[in-house]
């Protein structure tokens, strides 16, 4: 290569074979065969003539059937006499690689190549910022994040990774342009939040020129900056003024025909005289070289990876959280019952993002490879009711914690707790238990980070579903037919049949069913059905609020629910006071049980609970009238009481109460069958969508649901 020229040197490729032959970006959509060849040639020549005043143009011969070769920015990334060749993401452009490779070799460049399977699209996705002596590099669309550490190492540069999230801005040079003055022109919405933070940390506000959406769509960021000149397609007066104020002269070069393919001035050129970096010198005189913040971690994931969609979810979340993945190995379980195993390598642009992805993958059941498994990191509580930073947050899934070299199954599994490990180092037996933040005691040791944590998913969860409340295995007859998810179209009768079948079996084996009803159960006239289920032995505990009890008792004592006569369906004169009279009566007795003993309360849901010695808990709320003496107005106490009654539950019927159902859902570990009945699909979805196989949502009227259930379970009044 020659280095005599004072002018900048740019590689260009005449558009002899340019055309839109395929669609590999949103700009090309609808434009196939729609670019005018004559106009394209005319526009390109005009641009080349303008450039020649400031730069020396080197020409690479265009090739037939490679219509995008005009976009030489994607040939590779040059620094001094080195070039890293592109590895195109799309097969349509891979044919260009050999031509660029030959050209660089013939012109004296040291040609570097990335490993075969790592896509990288050259100076389209990697931009030198000589003012900062860094390389800005993108991932998320074409270039793979894994390419960044290779670039750092091959070119001895500091690489700053940015994630692209808008497919219109599929290359970094379509939405980001470092200028020689240290300014950048960029379109912030093309990047994720982390990348925007990184940009803001590196470039002070006075040097950041944010393009409007209109300007970004006109490709203002796809600009060629040579000294004080900026060549771009088209810009608003406002932006031109801003650039003028920063000391630049804007030269507009209409390139509409190329814009149809998603490229403008910058895409059509590759700078060949990128000067070597002015690298910072460390105190010991050595230069800082080859730096990338990209971190990796290998994880294994095992289970019914394909049929349960687990692998797809794991890979999707890695990308959505700003990382990228590579499946290192995959063993497919050949039979329906056999498990699959995948080893995946996650890359992230920063340690904190990698930790966040790892935590979520561990929640999905991923584990570190055997050789990397270590004890969980423990930190002591120094303030009662406050956890150390970075505490591990529990999920609904059975979790194991490694302490003293052994895996311990966590007790009291529930979501939104922390893990306390009761273990003296080197002393057994140790225990791990799930505790709420507010209950933490000083000096307790809790797990921080995700090391030494594994979540048991999939096959085991199925086994737990078939377990009895006393922990004994119920045999191989687990039920799987009640599919997870929500369906309003699903015939209610069919779901009711299945629930009835399961309720009967739980009763036969002495299991535990918890009912969580709202006052709507009474208003819809279904109180008598629930009372019959209790009398029939199908309910082992009831959790609710003040209202379900108030309205049930009002109905039992005065024949109305909120003043409405349920027999006739019409309001009763003075009926609006009925619920207060009912509350007053129970308050006089001292409790609901006392009212039953005194012969005052003789029918209804709560009468049956008392008579059949079924435990119940009523949690207070700000809406409550009264309250009844049985309603626990101390929220923490009522949460504890709910948790106590939920222990050992195999099935929970949540009947038209959003408040109490969500409260109960949060306390319940995976493996417990949840049935949520509500007329509002949003409520059902929220409860059923816990990512667990055991939730069934039924969108229907609770009165209809209970009447069908009672018809199946107690056909004759019992
Ligand atoms: P909520 O809003 O949490 O839940 C009611 C649910 O019932 C909603 O999700 C709704 O979609 C659903 N629903 C309505 N009609 C239905 C039907 N026909 N079939 C199926 N689903 C139906 O309200 P909540 O749980 O009733 O009450 C919240 C809190 O307020 C509770 O603690 C309750 O005890 C209290 N409260 C107290 C009083 C009182 O003391 N007098 C009165 C009302 C509520």
């Amino acid at each position: 290569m020659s280095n005599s020229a004072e002018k900048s040197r740019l590689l260009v490729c005449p558009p002899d074979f340019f055309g839109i032959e395929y669609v590999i970006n949103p700009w090309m959509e609808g434009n196939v065969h729609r670019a005018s060849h004559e106009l394209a040639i005319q526009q390109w020549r005009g641009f080349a003539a303008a450039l020649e005043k400031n730069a020396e143009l080197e020409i690479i011969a265009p090739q037939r059937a490679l219509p995008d070769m005009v976009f030489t920015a994607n040939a590779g990334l040059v620094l001094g006499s080195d070039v890293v060749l592109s590895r195109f993401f799309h097969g349509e452009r891979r044919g260009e690689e050999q031509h660029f490779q030959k050209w660089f070799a013939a012109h004296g460049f040291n040609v570097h190549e990335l490993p075969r399977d790592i896509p990288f699209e050259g100076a389209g996705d990697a931009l030198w910022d000589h003012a900062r002596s860094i390389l800005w590099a993108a991932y998320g669309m074409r270039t793979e994040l894994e390419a960044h550490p290779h670039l750092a190492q091959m070119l001895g540069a500091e690489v700053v990774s940015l994630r692209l999230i808008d497919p219109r801005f599929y290359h970094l040079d379509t939405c980001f342009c470092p200028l020689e003055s240290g300014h950048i022109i960029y379109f912030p919405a093309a990047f994720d939040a982390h990348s925007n933070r990184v940009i803001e940390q590196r470039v002070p506000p006075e040097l950041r020129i944010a393009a409007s959406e209109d300007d970004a769509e006109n490709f203002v960021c796809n600009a060629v900056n040579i000294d004080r000149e900026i060549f771009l397609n088209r810009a608003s007066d406002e932006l031109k003024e801003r650039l003028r104020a920063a000391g630049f002269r804007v030269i507009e070069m209409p390139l509409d025909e190329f814009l149809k393919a998603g490229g403008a001035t910058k895409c059509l050129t590759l700078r060949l005289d990128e000067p070597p970096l002015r690298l910072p010198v460390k105190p010991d005189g050595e230069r800082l070289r080859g730096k990338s913040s990209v971190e990796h971690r290998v994880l294994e994931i095992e289970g019914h990876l394909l049929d349960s969609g687990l692998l797809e979810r794991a890979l999707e979340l890695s990308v959505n959280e700003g990382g990228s993945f590579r499946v290192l190995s995959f063993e497919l379980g050949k039979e329906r019952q056999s498990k699959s195993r995948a080893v995946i390598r996650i890359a992230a642009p920063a340690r904190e993002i990698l930790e966040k992805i790892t935590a979520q993958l561990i929640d999905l059941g991923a584990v570190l490879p055997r050789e990397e498994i270590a004890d969980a990191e423990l930190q002591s509580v120094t303030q009662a009711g406050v956890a150390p930073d970075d505490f591990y947050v529990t999920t609904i899934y059975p979790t194991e914690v490694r302490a003293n070299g052994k895996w311990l199954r966590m007790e009291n599994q529930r979501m939104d707790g922390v893990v306390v490990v009761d273990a003296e180092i080197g002393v057994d037996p140790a225990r791990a238990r799930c505790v709420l933040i507010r209950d933490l005691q000083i000096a307790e040791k809790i797990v921080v980070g995700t090391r030494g944590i594994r979540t048991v998913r999939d096959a085991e969860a199925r086994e737990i579903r078939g377990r009895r409340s006393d922990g004994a295995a119920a045999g191989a007859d687990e039920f799987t037919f009640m599919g997870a998810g929500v369906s309003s179209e699903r015939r209610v009768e069919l779901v009711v049949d299945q629930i009835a079948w399961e309720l009967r079996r739980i009763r036969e084996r002495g299991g535990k069913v918890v009912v969580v009803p709202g006052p709507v159960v009474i208003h819809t006239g279904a109180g008598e059905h629930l009372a019959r289920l209790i009398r029939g032995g199908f309910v082992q505990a009831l959790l609710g609020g003040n209202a379900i009890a108030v309205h049930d008792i009002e109905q039992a004592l005065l024949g109305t629910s909120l003043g409405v006569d349920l027999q006739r369906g019409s309001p009763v004169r003075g009926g609006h006071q009925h619920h207060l009279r009912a509350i007053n009566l129970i308050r006089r007795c001292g409790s609901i049980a006392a009212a039953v003993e005194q012969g005052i309360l003789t029918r209804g849901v709560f009468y049956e609970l008392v008579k059949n010695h079924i435990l119940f808990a009523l949690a207070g709320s700000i809406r409550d009238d009264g309250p009844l003496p049985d309603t626990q107005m101390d929220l923490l106490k009522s949460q504890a009481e709910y948790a106590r009654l939920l222990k050992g539950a195999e099935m929970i019927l949540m009947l038209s109460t959003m408040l109490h159902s969500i409260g109960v859902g949060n306390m319940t570990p995976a493996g417990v069958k949840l049935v949520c009945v509500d007329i509002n699909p949003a409520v059902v979805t929220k409860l059923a969508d816990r990512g667990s196989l055991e939730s069934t949502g039924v969108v229907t009227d609770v009165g209809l649901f209970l009447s069908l259930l009672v018809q199946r379970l107690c056909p004759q009044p019992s």
Side-chain angles (χ1 to χ4, degrees):
M1 63 181 284
S2 92
N3 47 18
S4 59
E6 280 178 15
K7 280 178 167 182
S8 282
R9 292 171 57 232
L10 300 174
L11 178 67
V12 293
C13 177
D16 302 17
F17 302 110
F18 171 70
I20 301 165
E21 310 284 330
Y22 44 71
V23 176
I24 56 169
N25 68 47
W27 302 90
M28 290 176 155
E29 264 165 41
N31 277 330
V32 172
H33 304 310
R34 289 242 171 108
S36 151
H37 192 64
E38 292 70 41
L39 207 52
I41 292 196
Q42 200 184 314
Q43 289 178 349
W44 190 88
R45 284 192 183 144
F47 175 45
L51 279 179
E52 268 178 328
K53 295 190 187 124
N54 300 270
E56 204 177 283
L57 301 187
E58 303 249 7
I59 310 271
I60 182 168
Q63 302 294 323
R64 197 173 291 282
L66 293 175
D68 278 344
M69 212 173 141
V70 279
F71 298 124
T72 49
N74 308 126
L77 175 68
V78 174
L79 182 70
S81 54
D82 292 299
V83 63
V84 181
L85 265 195
S86 286
R87 291 218 176 283
F88 286 96
F89 180 79
H90 292 290
E92 288 86 342
R93 293 197 67 182
R94 277 186 210 133
E96 297 173 35
E97 289 170 13
Q98 51 162 324
H99 301 288
F100 288 127
Q101 198 268 345
K102 278 188 206 132
W103 190 92
F104 284 121
H107 288 76
F109 283 90
N110 307 315
V111 181
H112 304 269
E113 295 194 38
L114 289 163
R116 267 253 67 94
D117 47 359
I118 301 184
F120 166 60
E121 298 210 346
D125 265 341
L127 300 171
W128 293 111
D129 185 336
H130 291 289
R132 296 178 182 82
S133 294
I134 57 170
L135 179 71
W136 298 97
Y139 70 103
M141 296 283 159
R142 301 284 183 86
T143 296
E144 184 56 47
L145 182 60
E146 296 255 17
H148 298 184
H150 286 283
L151 297 176
Q153 190 245 321
M154 285 171 167
L155 299 173
E158 181 180 357
V159 178
V160 180
S161 301
L162 301 176
R163 178 175 167 227
L164 301 176
I165 55 167
D166 183 335
R168 291 174 303 166
F169 303 102
Y170 58 93
H171 273 150
L172 184 61
D173 68 359
T174 64
C175 52
F176 192 90
C177 179
L179 302 176
E180 292 185 9
S181 57
H183 289 81
I184 56 162
I185 316 173
Y186 76 127
F187 181 50
F191 300 92
D192 73 359
H194 174 79
S195 304
N196 269 298
R197 270 201 306 281
V198 169
I199 295 170
E200 286 160 18
Q201 278 161 6
R202 298 267 179 170
V203 186
E206 64 279 11
L207 297 183
R208 295 197 298 263
I209 302 175
S212 66
E213 180 138 9
D214 281 351
D215 272 333
E217 285 179 351
N218 278 323
F219 266 44
V220 290
C221 304
N222 198 247
V224 175
N225 172 209
I226 302 173
D227 300 325
R228 288 292 162 189
E229 324 264 56
I230 295 177
F231 297 83
L232 48 73
N233 172 56
R234 195 180 309 128
S236 64
D237 290 344
E238 197 190 336
L239 183 75
K240 281 190 279 195
E241 188 43 49
R242 180 102 205 252
L243 289 169
R244 226 169 278 142
F248 292 99
R249 196 165 79 90
V250 176
I251 302 163
E252 289 182 305
M253 304 289 342
L255 289 165
D256 307 63
E257 293 315 297
F258 297 95
L259 222 64
K260 290 177 184 167
T265 58
K266 167 68 175 56
C267 291
L268 290 168
T269 60
L270 176 71
R271 193 150 182 168
L272 296 170
D273 61 336
E274 294 283 3
L277 296 176
R278 292 189 306 273
L279 291 167
V281 179
K282 288 201 286 185
D284 59 7
E286 203 191 311
R287 287 189 183 279
L288 281 176
R289 293 177 64 83
K291 199 167 140 196
S292 157
S293 60
V294 173
E295 298 219 6
H296 298 95
R297 178 164 296 153
V298 173
L299 290 161
E300 293 178 6
I301 186 157
E302 199 178 73
H304 297 278
L305 299 183
L306 295 185
D307 47 1
S308 68
L310 205 57
L311 189 61
E312 194 186 332
R313 285 222 302 284
L315 300 181
E316 204 175 87
L317 90 80
S318 310
V319 172
N320 289 346
E321 291 293 342
S324 94
F325 65 82
R326 174 169 293 259
V327 178
L328 300 180
S329 69
F330 183 69
E331 291 159 29
L332 178 66
K334 301 255 164 41
E335 268 92 49
R336 200 163 66 89
Q337 74 280 9
S338 51
K339 291 191 205 170
S340 305
R341 182 171 170 276
V343 179
I344 45 180
R345 193 159 85 128
I346 305 295
R351 162 80 48 94
E352 70 266 23
I353 295 179
L354 187 63
E355 291 301 335
K356 202 168 157 205
I357 295 170
T358 306
Q360 292 185 52
L361 289 174
I362 284 178
D363 286 348
L364 280 184
V367 289
L368 291 170
R370 222 150 279 151
E371 57 283 4
E372 279 183 48
I373 288 175
D375 278 2
E377 189 186 337
L378 302 178
Q379 265 183 36
S380 296
V381 174
T382 53
Q383 188 181 348
V386 179
D389 283 346
D390 197 25
F391 56 89
Y392 172 78
V393 181
T394 60
T395 65
I396 59 171
Y397 296 100
T399 301
E400 293 183 342
V401 180
R402 201 160 188 274
N404 296 340
K406 289 204 181 107
W407 286 104
L408 310 170
R409 176 59 66 96
M410 189 171 72
E411 298 165 23
N412 300 334
Q413 185 74 51
R414 59 158 289 170
M415 64 187 267
D416 296 344
V418 294
V419 189
V420 172
V421 176
D422 303 311
E424 292 293 318
I425 294 307
V427 177
D428 276 334
R431 269 176 82 205
R433 54 198 167 87
C434 179
V435 170
L436 295 176
I437 291 177
R438 63 172 182 251
D439 295 329
L440 287 173
Q441 308 285 329
I442 288 183
E444 275 179 335
K445 300 249 184 310
I446 75 154
V447 175
V448 292
T450 48
R451 204 180 69 194
I453 289 275
R454 69 182 184 199
T455 318
V456 186
R457 295 283 291 245
D458 227 6
E460 185 141 358
R462 283 182 198 171
E463 181 216 310
I464 285 164
R465 257 193 295 159
R467 221 172 256 170
R468 285 167 37 162
S469 56
D470 61 4
D477 52 352
E478 59 175 30
F479 73 91
T480 49
F481 68 98
M482 279 171 59
V486 178
S487 168
S488 41
E489 290 103 59
R490 191 188 295 181
R491 274 178 47 225
V492 177
E493 284 89 348
L494 182 68
V495 185
V496 169
D497 279 346
Q498 297 171 349
I499 295 169
W501 183 83
E502 183 59 23
L503 283 172
R504 211 176 274 120
R505 281 160 38 93
I506 295 177
R507 184 179 69 168
E508 277 161 19
R509 64 175 181 254
K512 183 170 185 179
V513 173
V514 179
V515 177
V516 187
V520 181
V521 169
I522 308 299
H523 304 324
T524 54
E528 61 176 288
H529 305 316
L530 183 53
R532 273 170 71 185
L533 289 179
I534 296 167
R535 204 157 55 229
F538 294 105
V539 176
Q540 281 65 48
L542 181 144
L543 308 177
N546 194 57
I548 171 72
V550 169
H551 297 299
D552 171 60
I553 293 166
E554 176 193 337
Q555 157 74 11
L557 297 178
L558 302 157
T560 56
S561 174
L562 272 184
V564 173
D565 183 329
L566 292 183
Q567 295 296 322
R568 286 184 286 146
S570 54
V572 171
R573 189 182 292 272
H576 64 283
Q577 310 162 350
H578 281 185
H579 71 287
L580 294 175
R581 298 196 182 284
I583 292 169
N584 195 48
L585 211 55
I586 302 297
R587 289 180 70 87
R588 180 174 302 136
C589 297
S591 69
I592 298 172
V596 173
E597 275 157 33
Q598 292 164 28
I600 291 171
L601 185 62
T602 55
R603 50 195 289 264
V605 172
F606 282 78
Y607 167 81
E608 294 296 347
L609 290 173
V610 174
K611 277 288 173 200
N612 291 284
H613 310 289
I614 307 294
L615 295 176
F616 63 88
L618 301 180
S621 85
I622 199 154
R623 286 175 63 173
D624 295 349
D625 296 312
L628 290 167
D630 303 72
T631 303
Q632 176 55 263
M633 299 307 285
D634 179 330
L635 204 59
L636 300 187
K637 283 192 184 149
S638 45
Q639 281 193 359
E641 193 53 14
Y642 265 39
R644 191 175 74 81
L645 293 187
L646 282 167
K647 266 215 161 83
E650 287 173 61
M651 185 188 249
I652 302 174
L653 291 179
M654 299 166 160
L655 307 173
S656 62
T657 168
M658 180 164 59
L659 184 75
H660 297 280
S661 302
I662 293 174
V664 166
N666 290 349
M667 296 180 186
T668 308
V672 181
K673 180 90 201 159
L674 299 186
V675 177
C676 173
V677 182
D678 201 290
I679 201 117
N680 180 351
V683 174
V684 170
T685 307
K686 186 165 172 52
L687 276 151
D689 187 18
R690 306 196 315 157
S692 111
L693 289 171
E694 298 89 0
S695 316
T696 299
V698 190
V699 179
T700 191
D701 172 75
V702 72
L704 172 71
F705 174 84
L706 281 172
S707 97
L708 290 173
L709 193 61
V710 164
Q711 278 172 29
R712 306 290 190 281
L713 290 172
C714 331
Q716 302 301 323
S718 43

